[in-house]
Amino acid sequence: MFTFDPIYAQPTEAEQEIWEQVDVVLKEARTVLDELRAYKGATQAIREAIQNPSDEGLQEQAWTAVLPLVGKLKTFYQFSQRLEAALHSLLRALTNETYSDPTQHLEREQALAKQFAEILHFTLCFDELKMTNPAIQNDFSYYRRTLSRMRMNNVPAEGESEVNNELANRISLFYADATPMLKTMSDGTTKFVSENKNLPIENTTDVLSTMASVCKVMLETPEYRSRFSREDTVSFCLRVMVGVIILYDYVHPVGAFARSSKIDMKGCIKVLRDQPPNSVEGLLNALRYTTKHLHDDSTAKTIKTMLQ
């Protein structure tokens, strides 16, 4: 069993070009997370404007407060598109026919495997923050309602040019999902498989199942775990493990929970259950509510019970 270095893996010459392209996106991902953590919303201004509909001053204050926030939400949405493109680049590299099996790909392209892991880590971090911040959807809903009212009254609206109606619809759909970034990555992986029909689906699912297995072994084996030099490496590996399980469940015809699955779901859930409860509830919920096949008849009762 090999392990990949989730923190320090460096690109080889063969990986360098793709690694540099993806690295630009991952640097931006860190900024996106910082901005999302700092996102306070315009809840108070919106509430006062709604409670006092005839007070033009309060309407103006709420609109002024919401506009820059909508700009941020638009940026996050557009970033999700760039992240999906980066995911496709990594999948192409990690699933091509250069090596005969996924273990060889992951062993010899550790820097790309690490970037794939970082995308999944970011994805779950983004969605955890989004789920705990109701202001995001409220702000955007208020923006759309106000814009619609301005149009009906033929009032010129600053900010309309920044988010046209078609883009507003797409952004609205994005944030309406409980886990928007995970949905983007799941849809993106499914799209990658359907667009590359000449590539056996196993090339993709085997990379995902191997990464899940590597993370599980690294987390459950004291010898490997003792090598983690940073405390956050544990949460990194846990998020990556859950992320690849969800992608596998979307892409594989029978999913991650079936008996024929190449992912040891009982083992993975046990690893999650063995962590301090408060630290993994969000990840357990991701398995409960964002997977595709958990409630299929083919899922063993013991697995369903473990996730109750």
Coordinates of all heavy atoms in Angstrom, one line a residue, residues 24-86:
V24 N -2.5 28.1 -10.0 CA -3.0 29.5 -10.1 C -4.5 29.4 -9.5 O -4.9 30.3 -8.7 CB -3.1 30.0 -11.5 CG1 -3.9 31.3 -11.7 CG2 -1.7 30.2 -12.1
V25 N -5.2 28.4 -9.9 CA -6.6 28.3 -9.4 C -6.6 28.0 -7.9 O -7.5 28.6 -7.1 CB -7.4 27.2 -10.1 CG1 -8.8 27.0 -9.7 CG2 -7.4 27.4 -11.6
L26 N -5.7 27.2 -7.4 CA -5.7 26.8 -6.0 C -5.3 28.0 -5.1 O -5.8 28.2 -4.0 CB -4.8 25.6 -5.7 CG -5.4 24.3 -6.2 CD1 -4.3 23.2 -6.1 CD2 -6.6 23.9 -5.3
K27 N -4.4 28.9 -5.6 CA -4.1 30.1 -4.9 C -5.3 31.0 -4.8 O -5.5 31.6 -3.7 CB -2.9 30.8 -5.6 CG -1.6 30.2 -5.3 CD -0.5 30.9 -6.0 CE 0.9 30.3 -5.6 NZ 1.9 30.4 -6.7
E28 N -6.1 31.1 -5.8 CA -7.3 31.8 -5.8 C -8.3 31.2 -4.8 O -9.1 31.9 -4.1 CB -7.9 31.9 -7.2 CG -9.0 33.0 -7.3 CD -9.6 33.1 -8.7 OE1 -9.0 32.5 -9.7 OE2 -10.7 33.7 -8.9
A29 N -8.3 29.9 -4.7 CA -9.2 29.2 -3.8 C -9.0 29.6 -2.4 O -10.0 29.8 -1.6 CB -9.0 27.7 -3.9
R30 N -7.8 29.9 -2.0 CA -7.5 30.3 -0.6 C -8.1 31.7 -0.3 O -8.6 31.9 0.7 CB -6.0 30.3 -0.4 CG -5.4 28.9 -0.3 CD -4.0 28.9 0.2 NE -3.0 29.0 -0.9 CZ -2.6 27.9 -1.7 NH1 -3.2 26.8 -1.5 NH2 -1.7 28.1 -2.7
T31 N -8.0 32.6 -1.4 CA -8.6 33.9 -1.2 C -10.1 33.8 -1.1 O -10.7 34.5 -0.3 CB -8.2 34.8 -2.4 OG1 -6.8 34.8 -2.6 CG2 -8.7 36.2 -2.3
V32 N -10.7 32.9 -1.9 CA -12.2 32.7 -1.9 C -12.6 32.3 -0.5 O -13.6 32.8 0.0 CB -12.6 31.7 -3.0 CG1 -14.0 31.3 -2.8 CG2 -12.5 32.3 -4.4
L33 N -11.9 31.3 0.1 CA -12.3 30.9 1.4 C -12.2 32.0 2.4 O -13.0 32.1 3.3 CB -11.4 29.7 1.8 CG -11.8 28.3 1.3 CD1 -10.9 27.2 1.9 CD2 -13.3 28.0 1.5
D34 N -11.1 32.8 2.3 CA -10.9 33.9 3.3 C -12.1 34.9 3.2 O -12.6 35.4 4.2 CB -9.6 34.6 3.0 CG -8.4 33.8 3.5 OD1 -8.6 32.9 4.3 OD2 -7.3 34.1 3.0
E35 N -12.5 35.2 1.9 CA -13.6 36.1 1.7 C -14.9 35.6 2.1 O -15.7 36.3 2.7 CB -13.6 36.5 0.2 CG -12.4 37.4 -0.2 CD -12.6 38.0 -1.6 OE1 -13.5 37.6 -2.3 OE2 -11.7 38.8 -2.0
L36 N -15.1 34.3 2.0 CA -16.3 33.7 2.4 C -16.4 33.6 3.9 O -17.5 33.9 4.5 CB -16.4 32.2 1.8 CG -17.7 31.5 2.1 CD1 -19.0 32.3 1.6 CD2 -17.7 30.1 1.4
R37 N -15.3 33.4 4.6 CA -15.3 33.4 6.1 C -15.6 34.8 6.6 O -16.2 34.9 7.6 CB -13.9 33.0 6.6 CG -13.6 31.5 6.5 CD -12.3 31.2 7.3 NE -11.9 29.8 7.0 CZ -11.0 29.4 6.1 NH1 -10.3 30.4 5.4 NH2 -10.8 28.2 5.9
A38 N -15.2 35.8 5.8 CA -15.4 37.2 6.3 C -16.8 37.7 5.8 O -17.1 38.9 6.2 CB -14.3 38.1 5.7
Y39 N -17.5 36.9 5.1 CA -18.8 37.4 4.5 C -19.9 37.6 5.6 O -20.3 36.6 6.2 CB -19.3 36.4 3.5 CG -20.5 36.9 2.7 CD1 -20.3 37.4 1.4 CD2 -21.8 36.9 3.2 CE1 -21.4 37.8 0.6 CE2 -22.9 37.3 2.4 CZ -22.7 37.8 1.2 OH -23.7 38.2 0.4
K40 N -20.2 38.9 5.9 CA -21.2 39.1 7.0 C -22.6 39.3 6.5 O -23.5 39.2 7.3 CB -20.7 40.4 7.8 CG -19.4 40.2 8.4 CD -19.4 39.3 9.6 CE -18.1 39.2 10.3 NZ -17.4 37.9 10.1
G41 N -22.8 39.7 5.3 CA -24.1 39.9 4.7 C -24.7 41.2 5.1 O -24.1 42.0 5.9
A42 N -25.9 41.5 4.5 CA -26.6 42.8 4.8 C -27.9 42.6 5.5 O -28.9 43.3 5.2 CB -26.8 43.5 3.4
T43 N -27.9 41.6 6.4 CA -29.2 41.2 7.0 C -30.0 42.3 7.6 O -31.2 42.5 7.4 CB -29.0 40.0 8.0 OG1 -28.2 39.0 7.3 CG2 -30.3 39.5 8.5
Q44 N -29.2 43.1 8.5 CA -29.9 44.2 9.2 C -30.4 45.3 8.3 O -31.6 45.7 8.4 CB -28.8 44.8 10.2 CG -29.4 45.8 11.2 CD -30.5 45.2 12.1 OE1 -30.5 44.1 12.4 NE2 -31.5 46.0 12.4
A45 N -29.6 45.7 7.3 CA -30.1 46.7 6.4 C -31.3 46.2 5.6 O -32.2 47.0 5.3 CB -28.9 47.1 5.4
I46 N -31.3 45.0 5.2 CA -32.4 44.4 4.4 C -33.7 44.4 5.2 O -34.7 44.8 4.8 CB -32.0 43.0 3.8 CG1 -31.0 43.1 2.7 CG2 -33.3 42.3 3.3 CD1 -30.4 41.8 2.3
R47 N -33.5 43.9 6.5 CA -34.6 43.8 7.4 C -35.3 45.2 7.6 O -36.5 45.3 7.5 CB -34.2 43.3 8.7 CG -35.4 43.0 9.7 CD -34.9 42.5 11.0 NE -34.3 41.2 10.9 CZ -33.0 40.9 11.4 NH1 -32.3 41.9 11.9 NH2 -32.5 39.7 11.3
E48 N -34.5 46.2 7.8 CA -35.0 47.6 8.0 C -35.7 48.1 6.8 O -36.7 48.8 6.9 CB -33.9 48.5 8.5 CG -33.5 48.2 9.9 CD -32.3 49.1 10.4 OE1 -31.9 50.0 9.6 OE2 -31.8 48.8 11.5
A49 N -35.1 47.8 5.6 CA -35.7 48.3 4.4 C -37.1 47.6 4.1 O -38.0 48.2 3.7 CB -34.8 48.0 3.2
I50 N -37.2 46.3 4.4 CA -38.4 45.6 4.2 C -39.5 46.0 5.2 O -40.7 46.1 4.9 CB -38.2 44.0 4.4 CG1 -37.4 43.5 3.2 CG2 -39.5 43.2 4.5 CD1 -36.8 42.1 3.3
Q51 N -39.1 46.3 6.5 CA -40.0 46.8 7.5 C -40.5 48.2 7.3 O -41.6 48.6 7.8 CB -39.4 46.7 8.9 CG -39.3 45.2 9.4 CD -38.4 45.1 10.6 OE1 -37.8 46.0 11.1 NE2 -38.4 43.9 11.2
N52 N -39.7 49.0 6.5 CA -40.1 50.4 6.2 C -40.1 50.6 4.7 O -39.2 51.4 4.2 CB -39.1 51.3 6.9 CG -39.1 51.1 8.4 OD1 -39.9 51.6 9.2 ND2 -38.1 50.3 8.9
P53 N -41.1 50.0 4.0 CA -41.0 50.1 2.5 C -41.1 51.5 1.9 O -40.7 51.7 0.8 CB -42.2 49.2 2.1 CG -43.1 49.2 3.3 CD -42.2 49.3 4.5
S54 N -41.7 52.4 2.7 CA -41.8 53.8 2.1 C -40.6 54.7 2.5 O -40.6 55.9 2.0 CB -43.1 54.4 2.7 OG -43.1 54.4 4.1
D55 N -39.7 54.2 3.3 CA -38.5 55.0 3.6 C -37.5 54.9 2.6 O -36.7 53.9 2.5 CB -38.0 54.6 5.0 CG -36.9 55.5 5.6 OD1 -36.1 56.0 4.7 OD2 -36.9 55.7 6.8
E56 N -37.4 55.9 1.7 CA -36.4 55.8 0.6 C -35.0 55.7 1.0 O -34.1 55.1 0.4 CB -36.6 57.0 -0.4 CG -37.9 57.0 -1.2 CD -38.0 55.7 -2.0 OE1 -36.9 55.3 -2.6 OE2 -39.1 55.1 -2.1
G57 N -34.7 56.4 2.2 CA -33.3 56.4 2.7 C -32.9 54.9 3.1 O -31.8 54.5 2.8
L58 N -33.8 54.2 3.7 CA -33.5 52.8 4.1 C -33.4 51.9 2.9 O -32.5 51.0 2.9 CB -34.5 52.3 5.1 CG -34.5 52.9 6.5 CD1 -35.7 52.4 7.3 CD2 -33.2 52.6 7.2
Q59 N -34.2 52.2 1.9 CA -34.1 51.4 0.7 C -32.8 51.6 0.0 O -32.1 50.6 -0.4 CB -35.2 51.8 -0.3 CG -36.7 51.7 0.2 CD -37.0 50.4 0.9 OE1 -36.8 49.3 0.4 NE2 -37.5 50.5 2.1
E60 N -32.3 52.8 0.0 CA -31.0 53.1 -0.6 C -29.9 52.5 0.1 O -28.9 52.0 -0.5 CB -30.9 54.7 -0.7 CG -29.6 55.2 -1.4 CD -29.6 54.8 -2.9 OE1 -30.7 54.8 -3.5 OE2 -28.5 54.5 -3.3
Q61 N -30.0 52.6 1.5 CA -28.9 52.0 2.3 C -28.8 50.4 2.1 O -27.7 49.9 1.9 CB -29.2 52.2 3.8 CG -28.8 53.6 4.3 CD -29.3 53.8 5.7 OE1 -29.4 52.9 6.5 NE2 -29.5 55.0 6.1
A62 N -30.0 49.8 2.0 CA -30.0 48.3 1.8 C -29.4 48.0 0.4 O -28.5 47.1 0.3 CB -31.4 47.7 1.9
W63 N -29.8 48.7 -0.6 CA -29.3 48.5 -2.0 C -27.8 48.7 -2.0 O -27.0 47.9 -2.6 CB -30.0 49.4 -2.9 CG -29.7 49.2 -4.4 CD1 -29.0 50.1 -5.2 CD2 -29.9 48.0 -5.2 NE1 -28.9 49.6 -6.5 CE2 -29.4 48.3 -6.5 CE3 -30.5 46.8 -4.9 CZ2 -29.5 47.4 -7.5 CZ3 -30.6 45.9 -6.0 CH2 -30.1 46.2 -7.3
T64 N -27.3 49.8 -1.4 CA -25.9 50.1 -1.4 C -25.1 49.0 -0.6 O -24.0 48.7 -1.0 CB -25.6 51.5 -0.7 OG1 -26.4 52.5 -1.4 CG2 -24.2 51.9 -0.7
A65 N -25.7 48.5 0.4 CA -25.0 47.4 1.2 C -25.0 46.1 0.4 O -24.0 45.3 0.5 CB -25.8 47.2 2.5
V66 N -26.0 45.8 -0.4 CA -26.1 44.5 -1.1 C -25.2 44.5 -2.3 O -24.7 43.4 -2.6 CB -27.6 44.2 -1.4 CG1 -27.7 43.2 -2.6 CG2 -28.3 43.7 -0.2
L67 N -25.1 45.6 -3.0 CA -24.4 45.6 -4.3 C -23.0 45.0 -4.3 O -22.7 44.1 -5.1 CB -24.3 47.0 -4.9 CG -25.5 47.4 -5.8 CD1 -25.3 48.7 -6.4 CD2 -25.8 46.3 -6.9
P68 N -22.1 45.4 -3.3 CA -20.8 44.8 -3.3 C -20.8 43.4 -2.9 O -19.9 42.6 -3.4 CB -20.0 45.7 -2.3 CG -21.0 46.4 -1.5 CD -22.2 46.5 -2.4
L69 N -21.8 43.0 -2.1 CA -21.9 41.6 -1.7 C -22.3 40.7 -2.9 O -21.8 39.6 -3.1 CB -22.9 41.4 -0.6 CG -22.6 42.1 0.7 CD1 -23.8 42.1 1.7 CD2 -21.4 41.5 1.4
V70 N -23.2 41.2 -3.8 CA -23.6 40.5 -5.0 C -22.3 40.3 -5.9 O -22.2 39.3 -6.5 CB -24.7 41.2 -5.7 CG1 -24.9 40.7 -7.1 CG2 -26.0 41.0 -4.9
G71 N -21.5 41.3 -5.9 CA -20.3 41.2 -6.7 C -19.4 40.1 -6.2 O -18.8 39.3 -7.0
K72 N -19.3 39.9 -4.9 CA -18.6 38.8 -4.3 C -19.2 37.5 -4.6 O -18.5 36.5 -5.0 CB -18.5 39.0 -2.8 CG -17.3 39.8 -2.2 CD -17.2 39.6 -0.7 CE -16.1 40.3 -0.1 NZ -15.5 41.4 -0.7
L73 N -20.5 37.4 -4.5 CA -21.2 36.1 -4.8 C -21.0 35.7 -6.3 O -20.9 34.5 -6.6 CB -22.7 36.2 -4.5 CG -23.0 36.5 -3.0 CD1 -24.5 36.6 -2.8 CD2 -22.5 35.3 -2.1
K74 N -21.0 36.7 -7.1 CA -20.8 36.5 -8.6 C -19.3 35.9 -8.7 O -19.1 35.0 -9.5 CB -20.9 37.8 -9.3 CG -20.6 37.7 -10.8 CD -20.5 39.1 -11.4 CE -19.9 39.1 -12.8 NZ -19.7 40.4 -13.3
T75 N -18.4 36.5 -8.0 CA -17.0 36.1 -8.1 C -16.8 34.6 -7.7 O -16.2 33.8 -8.3 CB -16.1 37.0 -7.2 OG1 -16.2 38.3 -7.7 CG2 -14.6 36.6 -7.3
F76 N -17.5 34.3 -6.6 CA -17.4 32.9 -6.1 C -18.0 31.9 -7.1 O -17.5 30.8 -7.3 CB -18.2 32.7 -4.8 CG -17.7 33.5 -3.6 CD1 -18.5 33.8 -2.5 CD2 -16.4 34.1 -3.6 CE1 -18.1 34.5 -1.4 CE2 -16.0 34.8 -2.5 CZ -16.8 35.1 -1.4
Y77 N -19.2 32.3 -7.7 CA -19.8 31.4 -8.7 C -18.9 31.3 -9.9 O -18.7 30.1 -10.4 CB -21.1 32.0 -9.1 CG -21.6 31.4 -10.4 CD1 -22.2 30.1 -10.4 CD2 -21.6 32.0 -11.6 CE1 -22.6 29.5 -11.6 CE2 -22.0 31.4 -12.8 CZ -22.5 30.1 -12.8 OH -22.9 29.5 -13.9
Q78 N -18.3 32.4 -10.4 CA -17.4 32.3 -11.5 C -16.2 31.4 -11.2 O -15.6 30.7 -12.1 CB -17.0 33.7 -12.0 CG -18.2 34.4 -12.7 CD -17.9 35.8 -13.0 OE1 -17.1 36.5 -12.3 NE2 -18.5 36.3 -14.1
F79 N -15.7 31.5 -10.0 CA -14.6 30.7 -9.6 C -14.9 29.2 -9.6 O -14.1 28.4 -10.0 CB -14.1 31.1 -8.1 CG -13.0 30.2 -7.7 CD1 -11.7 30.3 -8.2 CD2 -13.2 29.2 -6.7 CE1 -10.7 29.5 -7.8 CE2 -12.2 28.4 -6.3 CZ -10.9 28.5 -6.9
S80 N -16.2 28.9 -9.3 CA -16.6 27.5 -9.4 C -16.4 26.9 -10.8 O -16.1 25.7 -10.9 CB -18.0 27.3 -8.9 OG -18.9 27.7 -9.9
Q81 N -16.6 27.7 -11.8 CA -16.4 27.3 -13.2 C -14.9 27.0 -13.5 O -14.6 26.1 -14.2 CB -17.0 28.4 -14.1 CG -18.4 28.8 -13.8 CD -19.4 27.7 -13.8 OE1 -19.7 27.0 -14.8 NE2 -19.9 27.4 -12.6
R82 N -14.1 27.9 -13.0 CA -12.6 27.7 -13.2 C -12.1 26.5 -12.4 O -11.3 25.8 -12.9 CB -11.8 29.0 -12.7 CG -12.1 30.2 -13.6 CD -11.1 31.3 -13.4 NE -11.2 31.9 -12.2 CZ -12.1 32.8 -11.9 NH1 -13.0 33.2 -12.8 NH2 -12.2 33.4 -10.7
L83 N -12.7 26.3 -11.2 CA -12.3 25.1 -10.4 C -12.7 23.8 -11.2 O -12.0 22.8 -11.2 CB -13.0 25.2 -9.1 CG -12.4 24.2 -8.0 CD1 -11.0 24.6 -7.6 CD2 -13.3 24.1 -6.8
E84 N -13.9 23.8 -11.8 CA -14.3 22.6 -12.5 C -13.4 22.4 -13.7 O -13.0 21.2 -14.0 CB -15.8 22.9 -13.1 CG -16.3 21.7 -13.8 CD -17.7 21.9 -14.4 OE1 -18.4 22.9 -14.1 OE2 -18.1 21.1 -15.3
A85 N -12.9 23.4 -14.4 CA -12.0 23.3 -15.5 C -10.7 22.7 -15.0 O -10.1 21.8 -15.6 CB -11.7 24.6 -16.2
A86 N -10.2 23.1 -13.8 CA -9.0 22.6 -13.2 C -9.2 21.1 -12.9 O -8.3 20.3 -13.1 CB -8.6 23.4 -12.0

